[in-house]
Amino acid sequence: MKAVVLLSGGLDSAVALYLAKSKGFDEVHAISFDYGQRHETELNHAKAIAEKAGVAAHKIVTLNLGDFGGSSLTDKNIEVEDGDVNRTDIPVTYVPARNMVFLSIAASYAESIEAQDIFIGVSQVDYSGYVDCRQEFIDAMEAAINKGTVMGAESGKPIKINAPFVNKTKAEEIQLGMELGVDFGLTWSCYRGGEKPCGTCDSCLLRAKAFAEAGFEDPAL
Amino acid sequence: MKAVVLLSGGLDSAVALYLAKSKGFDEVHAISFDYGQRHETELNHAKAIAEKAGVAAHKIVTLNLGDFGGSSLTDKNIEVEDGDVNRTDIPVTYVPARNMVFLSIAASYAESIEAQDIFIGVSQVDYSGYVDCRQEFIDAMEAAINKGTVMGAESGKPIKINAPFVNKTKAEEIQLGMELGVDFGLTWSCYRGGEKPCGTCDSCLLRAKAFAEAGFEDPAL
């Protein structure tokens, strides 16, 4: 059974990949994006995770969303600010419509290989204030995919977006990942993309908090 | 007033661009895609059209959908078949989820410049059997965009997808384009992408039929 898994190199998508495998998807096609992100190093982590998990294929799609500007993750003229896990506004690391773009391309890939399942590791619980991590967005996107593909609109083989962590905390994801044998030492979360995680950006703070809550040491540190 | 216009180099999107300008969008941002299409020459036509129309900006996004295969437009191992304007099945030129990918990226661009309008020149009347040219897809995609962007989901500035030709014939588009001053000599429709239009692919046949119905000579021939 085929599945397309969005793999960023971070921990959420690594757990999503192992979860897909545990659910009987024995032909996993991983897809990653080189979208002009400052933390390009995550792509090397994605490759290592995909290889260790034994995926059927791993596509890296190059796409320069950075040309549009507007986010500190892609625009090197904007600083990545230090994190604040209690923030409620939209942070400067937001990349406009990123998950929509990624899911659309994943849908194109899924249709080209006739996979009916896409996995994405978003969570609306422990997220950085991103609107495109919410269940209502996932539902709307799945509806659009099934109107805009032959599989969904003509062939009676609808495509499902599996977002298994949408209502889970990152700590719960880590606990699940530990059970599934995810090698978290291969994952990368830092937005700044230096040689080592900075420890102070939003993403590093969320990761540290989650490992503490889950009761594990972070093997990447 | 800002608009993002999807510009392929073909005639539909050229008319959509001029229509946007005539509707008071005085800051038009054109966006084109280098997606591994066989008929790359259309990008040069897109540039010429954008320049002549005096757009504020023209972004060309490179994205290798061709890596996925599955379409004769991107996979050079599959022949572009001769056209049949009465066909009812899905032709081999179908690129999986193409308009969804393009609209997602256009939404990312729109959000980065705070434009609330996207124009796309699709038609469900004279189309090559593509599911992603239908009104119900456009509606579903607009809903997804407004769940997956800050503008739509948080800021009360929803993004609208304008598909003004969705119920128009290509002949009607040509008549409108003639009124608006579109230089159809700059547009390119042929799927095969040789030096001159082949005259026998689906797209060339639809174009010839439309010019005949509209009562104009095709200035590109």
Side-chain angles (χ1 to χ4, degrees):
Chain A
M1 208 162 50
K2 293 177 184 178
V4 171
V5 177
L6 280 88
L7 191 68
S8 68
L11 67 85
D12 316 272
S13 63
V15 182
L17 168 54
Y18 278 77
L19 183 64
K21 284 173 63 89
S22 78
K23 298 260 187 205
F25 292 93
D26 55 356
E27 187 183 328
V28 169
H29 294 250
I31 183 167
S32 304
F33 296 90
D34 184 351
Y35 62 98
Q37 66 268 54
R38 183 188 288 261
H39 51 312
E40 253 187 283
T41 180
E42 70 175 14
L43 289 173
N44 293 325
H45 291 262
K47 282 181 206 165
I49 295 160
E51 194 177 338
K52 183 145 188 183
V55 300
H58 182 203
K59 300 271 184 194
I60 297 183
V61 176
T62 300
L63 169 69
N64 208 349
L65 290 180
D67 276 359
F68 303 151
S71 168
S72 66
L73 290 196
T74 55
D75 185 339
K76 289 182 175 118
N77 295 315
I78 306 177
E79 283 279 307
V80 175
E81 61 205 331
D82 278 347
D84 172 3
V85 292
N86 298 312
R87 68 181 312 138
T88 55
D89 60 327
I90 304 295
V92 72
T93 52
Y94 171 73
V95 178
R98 178 171 55 178
N99 284 341
M100 171 172 298
V101 172
F102 292 176
L103 283 168
S104 296
I105 296 172
S108 178
Y109 187 23
E111 183 156 64
S112 75
I113 60 169
E114 292 222 331
Q116 285 189 255
D117 287 270
I118 296 171
F119 281 78
I120 183 168
V122 293
S123 164
Q124 61 190 7
V125 182
D126 276 344
Y127 72 117
S128 293
Y130 298 148
V131 292
D132 55 359
C133 292
R134 298 178 188 160
Q135 183 65 52
E136 57 189 283
F137 163 65
I138 298 296
D139 292 342
M141 197 63 200
E142 185 176 288
I145 287 172
N146 287 312
K147 294 292 185 188
T149 54
V150 176
M151 283 175 66
E154 300 265 350
S155 307
K157 292 183 198 161
I159 294 173
K160 180 174 166 55
I161 303 177
N162 299 272
F165 310 139
V166 74
N167 290 312
K168 294 221 184 304
T169 65
K170 218 178 257 295
E172 289 171 314
E173 289 175 40
I174 290 169
Q175 281 160 343
L176 176 62
M178 288 292 184
E179 287 166 28
L180 295 169
V182 175
D183 181 352
F184 285 109
L186 296 178
T187 64
W188 178 270
S189 303
C190 179
Y191 282 151
R192 285 195 170 101
E195 276 193 30
K196 288 190 163 187
C198 71
T200 56
C201 73
D202 242 25
S203 189
C204 280
L205 292 184
L206 285 172
R207 180 178 176 123
K209 178 168 166 278
F211 268 99
E213 281 171 19
F216 291 102
E217 296 261 315
D218 184 346
L221 293 181
Chain B
M1 207 162 51
K2 293 177 184 176
V4 171
V5 178
L6 280 87
L7 191 68
S8 69
L11 67 83
D12 315 271
S13 62
V15 182
L17 168 54
Y18 278 77
L19 183 64
K21 285 174 61 91
S22 79
K23 298 257 188 207
F25 292 94
D26 55 356
E27 187 183 328
V28 169
H29 294 250
I31 182 167
S32 303
F33 296 90
D34 183 351
Y35 61 98
Q37 66 268 56
R38 183 188 287 260
H39 50 312
E40 253 187 283
T41 180
E42 70 175 15
L43 289 174
N44 294 324
H45 291 262
K47 283 181 206 164
I49 295 160
E51 194 177 338
K52 183 144 187 185
V55 300
H58 182 203
K59 299 271 184 196
I60 296 182
V61 175
T62 299
L63 169 68
N64 208 349
L65 290 180
D67 276 358
F68 304 151
S71 168
S72 67
L73 289 196
T74 55
D75 186 338
K76 287 178 177 122
N77 296 314
I78 306 177
E79 284 280 305
V80 176
E81 62 205 331
D82 276 346
D84 172 2
V85 292
N86 299 313
R87 69 180 312 140
T88 54
D89 60 326
I90 304 295
V92 73
T93 52
Y94 171 73
V95 177
R98 177 171 55 177
N99 284 340
M100 172 173 296
V101 172
F102 292 176
L103 283 169
S104 296
I105 296 173
S108 177
Y109 187 24
E111 183 156 65
S112 74
I113 60 169
E114 292 222 332
Q116 284 189 257
D117 286 270
I118 296 170
F119 281 78
I120 183 167
V122 293
S123 165
Q124 61 189 8
V125 182
D126 275 344
Y127 72 118
S128 293
Y130 299 148
V131 292
D132 55 358
C133 293
R134 298 178 188 161
Q135 183 66 51
E136 58 190 281
F137 163 65
I138 297 296
D139 291 344
M141 196 63 200
E142 184 176 289
I145 288 173
N146 287 312
K147 294 291 185 189
T149 53
V150 176
M151 282 175 68
E154 299 265 351
S155 307
K157 292 183 198 162
I159 293 173
K160 180 173 167 52
I161 302 177
N162 300 273
F165 310 139
V166 74
N167 290 313
K168 292 220 184 306
T169 65
K170 219 177 256 294
E172 290 172 314
E173 289 176 40
I174 291 169
Q175 281 161 340
L176 176 62
M178 287 292 183
E179 288 166 28
L180 294 169
V182 174
D183 181 351
F184 285 109
L186 296 178
T187 65
W188 179 270
S189 302
C190 179
Y191 283 151
R192 285 196 171 102
E195 276 193 28
K196 287 190 163 186
C198 71
T200 57
C201 72
D202 242 26
S203 189
C204 280
L205 293 185
L206 285 171
R207 180 178 175 123
K209 178 168 167 277
F211 268 100
E213 281 171 19
F216 292 103
E217 294 261 315
D218 184 347
L221 294 180

Coordinates of all heavy atoms in Angstrom, one line a residue, chain B residues 73-111:
Chain B
L73 N 3.2 16.2 -21.1 CA 3.7 17.6 -21.1 C 5.1 17.7 -20.4 O 5.8 18.7 -20.6 CB 2.7 18.5 -20.5 CG 1.4 18.8 -21.3 CD1 0.8 20.0 -20.7 CD2 1.7 19.0 -22.8
T74 N 5.3 16.8 -19.4 CA 6.6 16.9 -18.7 C 7.5 15.7 -18.8 O 8.6 15.8 -18.5 CB 6.2 17.1 -17.2 OG1 5.4 16.0 -16.7 CG2 5.5 18.4 -16.9
D75 N 7.0 14.6 -19.3 CA 7.8 13.4 -19.4 C 8.1 13.2 -20.9 O 7.2 12.9 -21.7 CB 7.0 12.2 -18.8 CG 7.8 10.9 -18.8 OD1 8.8 10.9 -19.5 OD2 7.4 10.1 -18.0
K76 N 9.3 13.4 -21.2 CA 9.7 13.3 -22.6 C 9.7 11.9 -23.2 O 9.8 11.7 -24.4 CB 11.1 14.0 -22.9 CG 10.8 15.5 -22.7 CD 12.1 16.4 -22.9 CE 11.7 17.8 -22.8 NZ 12.3 18.6 -21.8
N77 N 9.4 10.9 -22.3 CA 9.3 9.5 -22.8 C 7.8 9.3 -23.3 O 7.6 8.2 -23.8 CB 9.6 8.5 -21.7 CG 11.1 8.6 -21.4 OD1 12.0 8.7 -22.2 ND2 11.4 8.7 -20.1
I78 N 6.9 10.2 -23.0 CA 5.6 10.0 -23.5 C 5.3 11.0 -24.6 O 5.6 12.2 -24.5 CB 4.5 10.3 -22.3 CG1 4.9 9.4 -21.1 CG2 3.1 10.0 -22.8 CD1 4.0 9.7 -19.9
E79 N 4.8 10.5 -25.7 CA 4.5 11.3 -26.9 C 3.3 12.2 -26.6 O 2.3 11.8 -26.0 CB 4.1 10.4 -28.1 CG 5.3 9.7 -28.8 CD 6.0 10.7 -29.7 OE1 5.3 11.2 -30.6 OE2 7.2 10.8 -29.6
V80 N 3.3 13.4 -27.1 CA 2.1 14.2 -27.2 C 1.2 13.7 -28.3 O 1.7 13.6 -29.4 CB 2.4 15.7 -27.4 CG1 1.1 16.5 -27.6 CG2 3.2 16.3 -26.3
E81 N 0.0 13.2 -28.0 CA -0.8 12.6 -29.0 C -1.5 13.8 -29.8 O -1.6 14.9 -29.4 CB -1.9 11.8 -28.4 CG -2.8 12.5 -27.4 CD -3.4 11.6 -26.4 OE1 -3.6 10.4 -26.6 OE2 -3.7 12.2 -25.3
D82 N -1.9 13.4 -31.0 CA -2.7 14.3 -31.8 C -4.0 14.6 -31.1 O -4.5 13.8 -30.4 CB -3.0 13.8 -33.2 CG -1.8 14.0 -34.2 OD1 -0.9 14.9 -33.8 OD2 -1.7 13.4 -35.2
G83 N -4.6 15.8 -31.3 CA -5.7 16.2 -30.6 C -7.0 15.6 -31.2 O -7.1 15.1 -32.3
D84 N -8.1 15.7 -30.3 CA -9.4 15.3 -30.7 C -10.3 16.2 -29.9 O -10.5 16.0 -28.7 CB -9.7 13.9 -30.4 CG -11.1 13.5 -30.6 OD1 -11.9 14.3 -31.0 OD2 -11.4 12.3 -30.4
V85 N -10.9 17.2 -30.5 CA -11.7 18.2 -29.7 C -13.0 17.6 -29.1 O -13.6 18.2 -28.3 CB -12.0 19.5 -30.5 CG1 -10.7 20.3 -30.8 CG2 -12.7 19.2 -31.8
N86 N -13.4 16.4 -29.6 CA -14.6 15.8 -29.1 C -14.3 14.8 -28.0 O -15.2 14.1 -27.6 CB -15.4 15.2 -30.2 CG -15.8 16.3 -31.2 OD1 -16.3 17.3 -30.8 ND2 -15.6 16.0 -32.5
R87 N -13.1 14.6 -27.6 CA -12.7 13.6 -26.7 C -13.5 13.8 -25.3 O -13.8 14.9 -24.9 CB -11.2 13.5 -26.4 CG -10.7 14.8 -25.7 CD -9.2 14.6 -25.5 NE -8.9 13.3 -25.0 CZ -7.9 12.6 -25.4 NH1 -7.0 13.1 -26.3 NH2 -7.6 11.4 -24.9
T88 N -13.7 12.7 -24.6 CA -14.3 12.9 -23.3 C -13.4 12.3 -22.2 O -13.7 12.5 -21.0 CB -15.7 12.1 -23.2 OG1 -15.5 10.8 -23.7 CG2 -16.7 12.8 -24.2
D89 N -12.4 11.5 -22.5 CA -11.5 11.0 -21.5 C -10.4 11.9 -21.1 O -10.3 13.0 -21.6 CB -10.9 9.6 -22.0 CG -10.1 9.8 -23.2 OD1 -10.4 10.7 -24.1 OD2 -9.1 9.1 -23.4
I90 N -9.6 11.5 -20.1 CA -8.5 12.4 -19.7 C -7.3 12.2 -20.6 O -6.8 11.0 -20.7 CB -8.1 12.0 -18.2 CG1 -9.3 12.0 -17.3 CG2 -7.0 12.9 -17.7 CD1 -9.9 13.4 -17.1
P91 N -6.8 13.2 -21.2 CA -5.7 13.0 -22.1 C -4.4 12.9 -21.4 O -4.3 13.2 -20.2 CB -5.7 14.3 -22.9 CG -6.3 15.3 -22.0 CD -7.3 14.6 -21.1
V92 N -3.4 12.4 -22.2 CA -2.1 12.1 -21.6 C -1.3 13.4 -21.3 O -0.3 13.3 -20.7 CB -1.4 11.1 -22.6 CG1 -0.9 11.9 -23.9 CG2 -0.2 10.4 -22.0
T93 N -1.9 14.5 -21.8 CA -1.2 15.8 -21.5 C -1.6 16.3 -20.1 O -1.0 17.3 -19.6 CB -1.6 16.9 -22.5 OG1 -3.1 16.9 -22.6 CG2 -1.1 16.6 -23.9
Y94 N -2.5 15.6 -19.4 CA -2.9 16.0 -18.0 C -1.7 16.0 -17.1 O -1.0 15.0 -17.0 CB -4.0 15.1 -17.5 CG -4.3 15.3 -16.1 CD1 -5.0 16.4 -15.6 CD2 -3.9 14.3 -15.1 CE1 -5.4 16.6 -14.3 CE2 -4.3 14.5 -13.8 CZ -5.0 15.6 -13.4 OH -5.3 15.7 -12.0
V95 N -1.4 17.1 -16.4 CA -0.3 17.1 -15.4 C -1.0 17.1 -14.0 O -1.8 17.9 -13.7 CB 0.5 18.4 -15.5 CG1 1.6 18.4 -14.4 CG2 1.2 18.5 -16.9
P96 N -0.7 16.0 -13.2 CA -1.5 15.9 -12.0 C -1.5 17.1 -11.1 O -0.4 17.7 -10.8 CB -0.7 14.7 -11.3 CG -0.2 13.9 -12.4 CD 0.2 14.9 -13.5
A97 N -2.7 17.6 -10.8 CA -2.9 18.6 -9.8 C -2.2 19.9 -10.2 O -1.9 20.8 -9.3 CB -2.5 18.2 -8.4
R98 N -2.0 20.1 -11.5 CA -1.2 21.3 -11.9 C -1.8 22.6 -11.4 O -1.1 23.5 -10.8 CB -1.0 21.3 -13.4 CG -0.3 22.6 -13.9 CD 0.0 22.5 -15.4 NE -1.1 22.2 -16.2 CZ -1.2 22.2 -17.5 NH1 0.0 22.3 -18.2 NH2 -2.3 21.9 -18.2
N99 N -3.1 22.9 -11.7 CA -3.7 24.1 -11.3 C -3.7 24.3 -9.8 O -3.7 25.5 -9.3 CB -5.0 24.3 -11.9 CG -4.9 24.7 -13.4 OD1 -3.9 25.1 -13.8 ND2 -6.0 24.5 -14.1
M100 N -3.8 23.2 -9.0 CA -3.8 23.3 -7.6 C -2.4 23.8 -7.1 O -2.3 24.7 -6.2 CB -4.1 21.9 -7.0 CG -3.9 21.9 -5.5 SD -4.4 20.4 -4.7 CE -6.1 20.6 -5.1
V101 N -1.4 23.2 -7.7 CA 0.0 23.6 -7.3 C 0.2 25.1 -7.7 O 0.7 25.9 -6.9 CB 1.0 22.7 -8.1 CG1 2.4 23.3 -7.9 CG2 0.9 21.3 -7.6
F102 N -0.2 25.5 -8.9 CA 0.0 26.9 -9.4 C -0.8 27.8 -8.5 O -0.3 28.9 -8.1 CB -0.5 27.0 -10.8 CG 0.4 26.3 -11.8 CD1 0.0 26.3 -13.2 CD2 1.5 25.6 -11.5 CE1 0.8 25.7 -14.1 CE2 2.3 25.0 -12.4 CZ 1.9 25.0 -13.8
L103 N -2.1 27.5 -8.1 CA -2.9 28.4 -7.3 C -2.3 28.5 -5.9 O -2.4 29.6 -5.3 CB -4.3 27.9 -7.3 CG -5.1 28.3 -8.6 CD1 -6.5 27.6 -8.6 CD2 -5.3 29.8 -8.7
S104 N -1.8 27.4 -5.4 CA -1.2 27.5 -4.0 C 0.0 28.4 -4.0 O 0.2 29.2 -3.1 CB -0.7 26.1 -3.6 OG -1.7 25.2 -3.5
I105 N 0.8 28.3 -5.0 CA 2.0 29.2 -5.1 C 1.6 30.6 -5.3 O 2.1 31.6 -4.7 CB 3.0 28.7 -6.1 CG1 3.5 27.3 -5.7 CG2 4.2 29.6 -6.3 CD1 4.4 26.6 -6.7
A106 N 0.6 30.8 -6.1 CA 0.0 32.1 -6.4 C -0.5 32.7 -5.0 O -0.4 33.9 -4.8 CB -1.1 32.1 -7.4
A107 N -1.1 31.9 -4.2 CA -1.7 32.3 -2.9 C -0.5 32.7 -2.0 O -0.6 33.7 -1.3 CB -2.5 31.2 -2.3
S108 N 0.6 32.0 -2.1 CA 1.8 32.3 -1.2 C 2.3 33.7 -1.7 O 2.6 34.6 -0.9 CB 2.8 31.3 -1.4 OG 4.0 31.6 -0.7
Y109 N 2.3 33.9 -3.0 CA 2.8 35.2 -3.5 C 1.8 36.3 -3.1 O 2.2 37.4 -2.7 CB 2.9 35.1 -5.1 CG 3.5 36.2 -5.8 CD1 4.4 37.1 -5.1 CD2 3.3 36.5 -7.1 CE1 5.0 38.2 -5.8 CE2 3.9 37.5 -7.8 CZ 4.7 38.4 -7.2 OH 5.3 39.4 -7.9
A110 N 0.5 36.0 -3.3 CA -0.5 37.0 -3.0 C -0.4 37.5 -1.5 O -0.4 38.6 -1.2 CB -1.9 36.5 -3.3
E111 N -0.2 36.5 -0.7 CA -0.1 36.8 0.8 C 1.2 37.6 1.1 O 1.2 38.5 1.9 CB -0.2 35.6 1.6 CG -0.2 35.9 3.1 CD -0.8 34.9 4.0 OE1 -0.3 33.8 4.1 OE2 -1.8 35.2 4.7

